[in-house]
Amino acid sequence: MSRIGIMGGTFDPIHNGHLRLAHVAYTQYQLNSVWFMPSGQPPHKKDHKVTDPALRCEMVRRAISDYPYFSCSDFEIRRLGNTYTAQTLELLKREHPKDDFYFIIGADSLYEIENWYCPGEVMARAVLLVAGREYPKAHRPMEEQILYLKERYHAKIGRLNCEQMDIASADIREMASKNRSIESLVPGPVADYIRTHRLYASL
């Protein structure tokens, strides 16, 4: 039996905040590994064109190449159409019935999870590991939100001793489009890949 962390997202591009969060989850909860899982066509990303999945996967692979306990999974991008976390976790549990999954999220997702597709199934199939202390737009303190989800959905929720870094992939894309330095925000190999392939030059 393995304890597997799941870091989902578009990773467009992956940045240092993602890596820090995954490392904290790995060490704090004694995970065997953390799988970075770039999304296929996320149903909530309608505000911009998402970069080709193969390119996003390559950026993830380059970002995690120095971490033997991190891996890149193309599980979601191999699926057609919109990809939902509930479906992904269901399929993962079928393929790995003896493993325990820990889904790593930010504070915002803790409050928005009831708007996800089949939120009860998400919380039934994975432990939620939540980063951050409070969420500015929240209608209740985080501890109250955790208690609410535990009572309503029997959710298993753990806190991560890690603040969410104030890094947004959208800002990185904009900086790259203007030829501004992004080296302090993303791993060096990712910055090189973005620059070489001019990934966000047409924004």
Side-chain angles (χ1 to χ4, degrees), residues 13-78:
I14 188 171
H15 55 64
N16 293 336
H18 295 132
L19 296 179
R20 179 185 176 191
L21 187 56
H23 181 72
V24 169
Y26 172 80
T27 55
Q28 186 178 339
Y29 285 88
Q30 299 179 322
L31 304 180
N32 295 97
S33 61
V34 176
W35 297 353
F36 285 76
M37 193 172 290
S39 57
Q41 181 56 51
H44 60 290
K45 296 286 186 178
K46 304 295 185 183
D47 58 334
H48 72 279
K49 180 181 178 182
V50 179
T51 302
D52 182 88
L55 299 177
R56 290 186 283 120
C57 274
E58 183 58 28
M59 285 191 283
V60 170
R61 293 188 186 99
R62 289 169 182 251
I64 66 176
S65 60
D66 291 335
Y67 301 87
Y69 44 87
F70 290 166
S71 64
C72 179
S73 170
D74 64 355
F75 190 86
E76 283 206 336
I77 65 173
R78 288 187 280 110

Side-chain angles (χ1 to χ4, degrees), residues 27 45 51 93 105 110 193:
T27 55
K45 296 286 186 178
T51 302
K93 289 298 288 184
I105 62 174
L110 185 72
Y193 191 80

Side-chain angles (χ1 to χ4, degrees):
M1 178 183 292
S2 293
R3 298 158 62 92
I4 301 170
I6 301 291
M7 276 284 292
T10 50
F11 300 119
D12 195 12
I14 188 171
H15 55 64
N16 293 336
H18 295 132
L19 296 179
R20 179 185 176 191
L21 187 56
H23 181 72
V24 169
Y26 172 80
T27 55
Q28 186 178 339
Y29 285 88
Q30 299 179 322
L31 304 180
N32 295 97
S33 61
V34 176
W35 297 353
F36 285 76
M37 193 172 290
S39 57
Q41 181 56 51
H44 60 290
K45 296 286 186 178
K46 304 295 185 183
D47 58 334
H48 72 279
K49 180 181 178 182
V50 179
T51 302
D52 182 88
L55 299 177
R56 290 186 283 120
C57 274
E58 183 58 28
M59 285 191 283
V60 170
R61 293 188 186 99
R62 289 169 182 251
I64 66 176
S65 60
D66 291 335
Y67 301 87
Y69 44 87
F70 290 166
S71 64
C72 179
S73 170
D74 64 355
F75 190 86
E76 283 206 336
I77 65 173
R78 288 187 280 110
R79 293 164 53 200
L80 299 176
N82 290 336
T83 52
Y84 295 97
T85 300
Q87 296 170 334
T88 295
L89 290 173
E90 179 184 10
L91 294 171
L92 285 174
K93 289 298 288 184
R94 286 184 191 174
E95 292 191 9
H96 307 274
K98 295 183 179 180
D99 294 333
D100 293 325
F101 290 97
Y102 294 73
F103 195 67
I104 303 165
I105 62 174
D108 54 342
S109 294
L110 185 72
Y111 291 92
E112 297 167 3
I113 194 168
E114 287 190 289
N115 297 321
W116 292 13
Y117 174 80
C118 297
E121 295 181 16
V122 173
M123 288 179 269
R125 292 168 179 152
V127 178
L128 301 182
L129 299 183
V130 188
R133 291 184 178 176
E134 298 298 336
Y135 181 50
K137 300 179 182 179
H139 55 283
R140 59 166 68 102
M142 184 178 287
E143 284 301 331
E144 289 186 16
Q145 177 68 3
I146 289 174
L147 181 60
Y148 163 74
L149 294 174
K150 285 182 175 180
E151 291 180 345
R152 179 168 182 180
Y153 298 96
H154 306 290
K156 298 177 287 293
I157 303 172
R159 300 285 297 271
L160 290 170
N161 298 326
C162 178
E163 288 297 306
Q164 286 183 268
M165 295 181 70
D166 189 20
I167 303 175
S169 293
D171 294 336
I172 297 173
R173 292 193 299 271
E174 182 178 1
M175 292 171 66
S177 73
K178 297 177 179 178
N179 290 319
R180 293 169 56 191
S181 174
I182 59 173
E183 270 74 6
S184 65
L185 303 176
V186 302
V190 175
D192 292 341
Y193 191 80
I194 291 171
R195 184 167 45 250
T196 300
H197 294 270
R198 298 178 56 80
L199 293 188
Y200 306 114
S202 60
L203 293 184

